[in-house]
Amino acid sequence: MLEVVHLSKYFIMRRGLLQYLRREEPKCIRAVDDVSFKIDKGEIVGLVGESGSGKTTLARLILRLLEPTSGKIFFEGQDILSLSNDEMKEIRKKMQIVFQDPYGALNPRMTIQKILEEPLEVHSLYSPKERIDIIKKMLKSVGLNPPELFLDKYPHELSGGQRQRVVISRALILNPSFMVMDEPVSLLDATVRTQILDLILRLKEEFNLTYLFITHDLALARYICNRILVMYRGRIVEMGETEQLISEPLHPYTKMLISAVPVPNPSIKISLPPRASEFVDVFTYQGCRFCARCPEATQLCQREEPPLISLEGGRSVACWKYK
Amino acid sequence: MLRSISSSWKQFSKSKLGIVGLVIILIFVFMAVAAPILSPYDPQASFIAPMFTPPNSKHLLGTDDVGRDVLSQIIYGSRISIMVGLLAAAVGTLLGTIIGLVSGYFGGIVDDILMRITDIFLIIPFIPLAIMFALYVGPNIWNVVLIFGFLGWPPAARQIRSLTLSLKEAQFIEAARAIGAGNLRIVFRHILPNTTGVIIANVVSRTVFAILAEAGLAFLGASDPRNISWGMMIFYAMRSGAILYGAWWTYIPAGFCVALLACGFAFLGHGITLVLNPRLRGR
Amino acid sequence: MIGYLIKKLIQYFIVFFIILVVIFALPRLMPGNPADYLISSTTLTIGETSEILRMQLIERFGLNKSVTEQFMLFIANTFSGYLGVSWRYFPKEVFTLIMERLPWTMLIVVLSRIISLFLGYFVGIIAAWKRGGKMDITLQTLGLVSMSLPSFWVALVLLTIFAFYIPIFPLGGALEAGKIYKSIWDFISDALYHAALPVITLSIVTFFLDALIMRNTMLEILGEDFILTAEAKGLKDRTIMINHAARNAVLPFITGALMSFGLLVTGAIFVETAFSYPGIGMLLAESFFSRDFPTAQGILIITSLIFIVSNFLADIIYMWLDPRIRLMGSR
């Protein structure tokens, strides 16, 4: 369904006039660095990492909301980076995104009806009359019942959960086959959270969807995903089947993440990992980027960056320990 | 739409100054529209009474140097002031909005160039340039509209640009791109409707400026002599030595109207800023 | 730091250049030959024969040469201070004419600036001190009002009251006509006597805005940390205000004031005309009437220059104040 090959995105920092005149090399931040993975039809793949790890950038690259620095993206066998704007527009019907912030994802000046009508309008699908019926059907299937109650509302008149349902229905209305869920529940109240998660799972079956589910919460990923990718500072450091990865983490970073998940039994003491406050110089580093926080780092780790090593059982890990 | 207007109105109505401004403007607009009904005499008819007749029951504001009724001229003069003021402000804001949108949305080198140009336009001395322009093109009320329209865009451009920059990062813009919306659609359907508040505030504040400029240029004689405007009335009064005749009614009320109308827009702008900028409310 | 100044300087140079281009292009954009157009509109107002005028124009604009050459000539003339010859005060050079008038404009603008800034400074402090109080609210309202006042109208009101009905000030002019001065003090006092009403007018128009600027600067500074430190040290309210905030507000306040200096020179056009005060503002109004193109052009060039210089001075002070800019480029 989706294959990402050696995908990278470097953000170039702007040089001032003086730096430009001095011909200083522009500095860059490697937000996504040489990432490769595959998603099969019907899967829910989790992308886990702390904030700033490049998860969201990766999501935007896959949807071609950002142009990558290098690499390839294949969607249903098509190299989408080589597509023209018009061809890309066709692909957009099939891949959609649900954003983290249901407040920011809806134009405050548009009614719910307008918001849901827009995708159909952009792709000139159906007659205006049919559109209304489709919108109503869609609102029903995301649990906004009765739909007539919501059509003329503005986003600020809805609750957070309701807004997220609208965001989901807007993504669904074009009948996509693949959806990126960018932390869809992290900003919602705990009670609403489970409802939305259940909705997301139900819709997957109902509409035959494939998900890339982005989250910083490993416990949540475990609950939802078949497979998990762990990302750290722009790189995938480990991937594997959910249960295997959680029960037997290989990368020190994954271990750290798992130990950070709250444990139901309070008698077990958890040692919190140090935060990445001491930012390594992102521009010039060499060696493993987890080095500074890794309890098991060696000389080799400081010198050279480990590649993503494939192990049996479909697992991969980027750590010298497994070479 | 209606609901969002009514909630904005609620905020606005808390500003007493804003309400006062609105009332002032509405009175003048009414005056301009109903001028033929309201004015007691034909404003252009000369010697309907002796020159410099002081205010009396027949001529509430007396007559000017050629015996025209001052009150009637003032009533008709509101037309020019309001029209030129709003038009100049609208042209400037329209240009500024387009430039700000383009600059903010496309960014990069386009933004750099447009913003440098904006910086330059910010320090061009308007009034002397407008006078020069009038000197070449001949006195004409459109000069003011053109000059202030075409040179008056920088403040709007700056504000719209910075707003666009922040809107551009909004997730609903990304969502629109994800569903396949093109640049035009994003700019006109998503960004522009979210800048209406700033646009209105800008039109209002630029109107103050344009009203004063129009009156000022007319006072110097650089306005169309065929139209009655408040500035023009003062110009004629000065030229005929009204001060020395003690004929204050030929220039004081006209200038007062300029000040009052400009004040109305300044107050209205103050009220609108409160709606747009809740942070200032406490102050 | 130098980099920043150079950048600004380049920017201002471009502004000036653009103004020159506009001035150059305007008569050439009019339909027909610019020389004929200019002559036809001026022969009525001055007594010279059109042949002399034509020579004048050809010399001034180099009209027999190509547009590029004309432009080079125009630029060269302008930068060497030759702005042409006035048609109204023929054969006086425009530059000389402007230099004769400029001191009068400077006198009233600078005087009013000093008065307005001085009063605005203290009123601003008090308004900031009693933020939200009656005086503060009044000041804000009056700020809006004064922003909307046509300066020429204020001038006429003052003129009517204090020169016509209660004749304590002269009706116009910069000096009493034909008066012979016994001493320099005699001259100065006469000049000040004539400048009084124009200065008061300009001050009224700018005072409230100056006070508001001061108030806002004060409030900004009062939000800063060192004031909190002073409070923590237990210093009294009044001491904090006057010794710390007010002192720190002086320079930003002056920067703001400088920026508006150019604007005020333009504003003086109206006030001078109302008082028949012989500065460059009135000269511009006169040249408009007598269709004295070279003079009007010259005044536009000079006022642009004043605008630019005062903005540049404000930039320098601002840079001196803001260590972020001061450090820029020295890294």
Side-chain angles (χ1 to χ4, degrees):
Chain A
M1 168 128 257
L2 180 87
E3 187 177 3
V4 169
V5 186
H6 298 302
L7 195 66
S8 299
K9 175 69 187 180
Y10 299 165
F11 287 109
I12 313 271
M13 290 171 71
R14 270 183 78 165
R15 288 173 294 180
L17 183 70
L18 268 169
Q19 283 137 305
Y20 181 80
L21 289 176
R22 285 186 197 146
R23 290 168 194 269
E24 272 176 31
E25 281 288 308
K27 291 176 171 174
C28 67
I29 292 168
R30 295 190 253 178
V32 170
D33 198 3
D34 194 21
V35 165
S36 302
F37 63 90
K38 240 185 190 172
I39 297 176
D40 289 328
K41 198 162 172 50
E43 268 192 309
I44 301 183
V45 175
L47 181 60
V48 181
E50 55 195 21
S51 57
S53 61
K55 302 171 299 209
T56 299
T57 307
L58 183 56
R60 279 157 179 67
L61 289 174
I62 291 172
L63 287 154
R64 220 179 154 193
L65 294 174
L66 271 177
E67 293 296 317
T69 312
S70 63
K72 281 198 159 48
I73 301 164
F74 295 96
F75 181 75
E76 293 178 338
Q78 252 182 318
D79 177 4
I80 64 165
L81 293 176
S82 67
L83 298 181
S84 69
N85 279 346
D86 286 344
E87 290 166 323
M88 193 60 216
K89 200 171 152 185
E90 283 306 301
I91 294 285
R92 293 207 185 281
K93 283 196 238 173
K94 297 187 199 160
M95 49 202 293
Q96 278 300 320
I97 181 164
V98 169
F99 292 100
Q100 176 179 24
D101 173 13
Y103 203 81
L106 299 172
N107 188 336
R109 296 285 162 137
M110 285 171 130
T111 59
I112 304 306
Q113 181 184 335
K114 279 265 158 56
I115 288 170
L116 293 181
E117 217 172 4
E118 187 170 38
L120 303 175
E121 226 173 79
V122 167
H123 292 277
S124 337
L125 298 171
Y126 312 108
S127 70
K129 255 197 164 159
E130 288 170 308
R131 283 177 193 163
I132 303 279
D133 292 336
I134 289 168
I135 290 167
K136 283 183 185 164
K137 229 174 76 193
M138 203 39 93
L139 285 173
K140 258 187 219 158
S141 58
V142 296
L144 293 176
N145 234 340
E148 290 78 11
L149 212 66
F150 295 93
L151 288 179
D152 289 333
K153 290 251 156 78
Y154 283 91
H156 67 88
E157 296 172 292
L158 304 184
S159 71
Q162 287 172 329
R163 278 196 287 261
Q164 196 60 304
R165 284 170 201 267
V166 173
V167 173
I168 292 171
S169 65
R170 172 177 59 193
L172 272 177
I173 207 159
L174 287 170
N175 208 2
S177 52
F178 171 71
M179 280 233 254
V180 173
M181 294 280 169
D182 187 1
E183 307 230 25
V185 294
S186 68
L187 290 181
L188 300 177
D189 293 340
T191 45
V192 186
R193 194 177 285 192
T194 26
Q195 289 170 18
I196 299 287
L197 279 177
D198 287 343
L199 175 72
I200 288 173
L201 289 175
R202 180 167 62 77
L203 291 171
K204 178 192 178 295
E205 299 308 322
E206 204 173 305
F207 291 87
N208 220 350
L209 295 164
T210 306
Y211 287 155
L212 173 65
F213 193 96
I214 299 176
T215 176
H216 61 275
D217 182 351
L218 202 57
L220 181 59
R222 180 184 193 172
Y223 172 61
I224 274 203
C225 306
N226 313 114
R227 230 152 34 90
I228 289 177
L229 315 175
V230 181
M231 211 168 165
Y232 184 75
R233 286 204 187 154
R235 289 209 121 200
I236 289 185
V237 293
E238 181 165 3
M239 54 186 175
E241 299 291 328
T242 304
E243 278 319 308
Q244 247 188 336
L245 188 129
I246 303 263
S247 58
E248 195 196 324
L250 298 177
H251 198 280
Y253 178 60
T254 318
K255 288 179 194 165
M256 214 175 244
L257 281 179
I258 289 169
S259 71
V261 172
V263 183
N265 184 351
S267 64
I268 301 171
K269 285 250 165 85
I270 332 159
S271 61
L272 279 173
R275 281 293 296 177
S277 53
E278 8 62 76
F279 255 92
V280 187
D281 184 0
V282 280
F283 311 116
T284 53
Y285 60 65
Q286 40 167 215
C288 178
R289 48 197 83 188
F290 188 59
C291 224
R293 287 165 75 188
C294 185
E296 303 165 59
T298 63
Q299 289 260 306
L300 179 63
C301 300
Q302 277 170 17
R303 239 183 10 251
E304 234 176 293
E305 179 144 51
L308 195 62
I309 304 154
S310 297
L311 305 172
E312 67 259 35
R315 300 192 68 176
S316 304
V317 61
C319 180
W320 286 121
K321 267 169 60 190
Y322 303 94
K323 185 71 187 177
Chain B
M1 200 65 196
L2 271 175
R3 265 192 305 269
S4 84
I5 288 177
S6 79
S7 83
S8 300
W9 172 255
K10 232 182 241 163
Q11 277 304 336
F12 177 79
S13 61
K14 281 182 199 154
S15 157
K16 271 184 220 148
L17 276 185
I19 297 286
V20 170
L22 193 64
V23 169
I24 293 175
I25 294 168
L26 287 178
I27 290 174
F28 276 112
V29 168
F30 175 72
M31 223 160 102
V33 173
I37 307 165
L38 289 177
S39 59
Y41 299 92
D42 177 357
Q44 303 274 27
S46 34
F47 296 112
I48 49 173
M51 71 181 278
F52 294 140
T53 308
N56 57 44
S57 57
K58 271 169 122 185
H59 301 276
L60 290 176
L61 286 174
T63 61
D64 69 358
D65 59 314
V66 285
R68 292 179 296 192
D69 183 52
V70 172
L71 180 65
S72 306
Q73 290 188 63
I74 282 188
I75 290 171
Y76 271 92
S78 60
R79 292 184 162 187
I80 297 291
S81 247
I82 292 173
M83 190 187 75
V84 171
L86 280 178
L87 218 57
V91 171
T93 306
L94 181 72
L95 265 178
T97 303
I98 294 170
I99 289 169
L101 278 176
V102 169
S103 191
Y105 185 71
F106 291 103
I109 201 118
V110 180
D111 182 36
D112 269 357
I113 293 173
L114 285 177
M115 282 306 111
R116 284 295 87 76
I117 296 177
T118 310
D119 286 345
I120 288 170
F121 271 81
L122 272 174
I123 36 179
I124 288 182
F126 278 85
I127 303 280
L129 194 64
I131 292 174
M132 271 291 291
F133 198 73
L135 189 52
Y136 283 109
V137 192
N140 185 323
I141 53 164
W142 299 109
N143 289 345
V144 180
V145 175
L146 283 178
I147 292 270
F148 285 86
F150 283 100
L151 298 183
W153 53 266
R158 284 239 173 136
Q159 288 172 31
I160 298 284
R161 171 184 173 267
S162 68
L163 191 58
T164 306
L165 279 179
S166 63
L167 283 171
K168 192 169 73 164
E169 302 299 320
Q171 279 194 346
F172 66 84
I173 300 293
E174 273 202 311
R177 285 173 58 211
I179 58 167
N183 285 336
L184 275 181
R185 187 184 192 86
I186 289 175
V187 169
F188 286 106
R189 286 288 183 82
H190 292 279
I191 294 181
L192 193 60
N194 282 291
T195 60
T196 38
V198 173
I199 291 176
I200 293 171
N202 223 289
V203 170
V204 170
S205 68
R206 298 307 289 177
T207 305
V208 178
F209 192 53
I211 287 173
L212 290 177
E214 188 276 330
L217 288 180
F219 163 73
L220 295 180
S223 186
D224 198 334
R226 284 165 304 178
N227 292 305
I228 307 161
S229 76
W230 296 331
M232 211 64 196
M233 291 170 67
I234 302 173
F235 165 68
Y236 283 130
M238 287 304 100
R239 217 178 48 170
S240 58
I243 288 192
L244 299 174
Y245 287 96
W248 54 267
W249 57 89
T250 54
Y251 53 92
I252 302 277
F256 180 73
C257 285
V258 175
L260 196 60
L261 182 61
C263 241
F265 279 99
F267 287 172
L268 178 68
H270 185 75
I272 290 176
T273 333
L274 290 188
V275 178
L276 292 179
N277 207 342
R279 215 165 49 85
L280 292 176
R281 264 173 227 153
R283 284 209 182 169
Chain C
M1 179 161 102
I2 304 263
Y4 175 78
L5 280 186
I6 290 176
K7 214 167 115 183
K8 280 285 173 190
L9 210 56
I10 292 173
Q11 200 179 316
Y12 288 133
F13 188 79
I14 294 173
V15 177
F16 189 54
F17 192 77
I18 285 177
I19 291 169
L20 290 184
V21 170
V22 169
I23 291 172
F24 175 79
L26 264 178
R28 286 167 180 79
L29 289 175
M30 299 302 131
N33 185 316
D36 293 337
Y37 171 76
L38 296 184
I39 289 166
S40 70
S41 58
T42 48
T43 36
L44 289 176
T45 48
I46 65 170
E48 298 299 319
T49 62
S50 57
E51 226 10 72
I52 296 174
L53 261 176
R54 183 175 282 275
M55 301 282 281
Q56 261 297 320
L57 283 168
I58 287 171
E59 184 216 356
R60 165 81 172 131
F61 294 122
L63 288 172
N64 44 355
K65 295 177 191 140
S66 77
V67 176
T68 342
E69 275 175 293
Q70 288 175 34
F71 186 64
M72 302 302 276
L73 183 71
F74 171 68
I75 296 291
N77 277 342
T78 305
F79 280 95
S80 65
Y82 178 71
L83 301 173
V85 174
S86 165
W87 293 349
R88 181 165 190 247
Y89 297 95
F90 196 81
K92 206 170 216 170
E93 266 199 36
V94 170
F95 188 76
T96 327
L97 188 59
I98 292 175
M99 284 307 137
E100 281 172 16
R101 300 292 194 93
L102 193 59
W104 294 118
T105 302
M106 285 298 161
L107 176 71
I108 58 168
V109 171
V110 170
L111 273 182
S112 75
R113 217 70 277 263
I114 291 171
I115 292 171
S116 166
L117 288 177
F118 186 77
L119 293 177
Y121 181 77
F122 290 106
V123 173
I125 290 175
I126 299 169
W129 185 12
K130 302 201 164 166
R131 172 166 38 142
K134 232 181 203 154
M135 178 166 157
D136 188 27
I137 304 282
T138 315
L139 179 66
Q140 289 192 51
T141 313
L142 286 180
L144 289 172
V145 173
S146 74
M147 201 175 80
S148 325
L149 287 179
S151 52
F152 57 88
W153 181 66
V154 177
L156 293 177
V157 171
L158 291 179
L159 205 53
T160 308
I161 300 173
F162 296 108
F164 182 76
Y165 285 107
I166 316 165
I168 42 177
F169 286 108
L171 275 164
L175 292 170
E176 206 178 313
K179 186 173 178 183
I180 295 151
Y181 297 105
K182 280 168 256 159
S183 68
I184 180 99
W185 297 113
D186 207 17
F187 173 77
I188 290 176
S189 65
D190 192 40
L192 288 179
Y193 172 62
H194 281 80
L197 279 183
V199 168
I200 292 171
T201 307
L202 285 174
S203 307
I204 287 176
V205 176
T206 57
F207 160 72
F208 296 103
L209 291 180
D210 282 331
L212 271 181
I213 293 173
M214 184 60 196
R215 167 194 178 268
N216 294 340
T217 314
M218 284 285 288
L219 289 184
E220 232 166 77
I221 289 170
L222 285 173
E224 280 174 13
D225 286 346
F226 69 96
I227 295 291
L228 290 179
T229 319
E231 257 168 17
K233 278 193 291 189
L235 295 177
K236 272 193 188 152
D237 243 12
R238 190 189 302 249
T239 330
I240 296 170
M241 282 285 186
I242 292 169
N243 285 349
H244 293 249
R247 204 186 295 161
N248 280 288
V250 172
L251 278 174
F253 179 56
I254 288 178
T255 316
L258 261 177
M259 298 250 248
S260 58
F261 184 79
L263 218 62
L264 211 62
V265 170
T266 328
I269 295 172
F270 302 117
V271 176
E272 285 177 11
T273 309
F275 286 109
S276 343
Y277 196 83
I280 54 168
M282 198 177 108
L283 185 62
L284 182 61
E286 279 173 33
S287 56
F288 174 77
F289 274 107
S290 43
R291 310 195 69 73
D292 185 351
F293 288 79
T295 307
Q297 283 183 353
I299 292 172
L300 183 54
I301 291 173
I302 297 290
T303 40
S304 307
L305 216 55
I306 294 173
F307 241 77
I308 287 168
V309 170
S310 52
N311 265 290
F312 189 58
L313 285 177
D315 280 338
I316 293 175
I317 296 184
Y318 191 73
M319 186 198 65
W320 185 43
L321 279 179
D322 191 341
R324 274 167 304 181
I325 300 177
R326 201 172 9 168
L327 291 173
M328 214 172 63
S330 61
R331 250 180 293 160

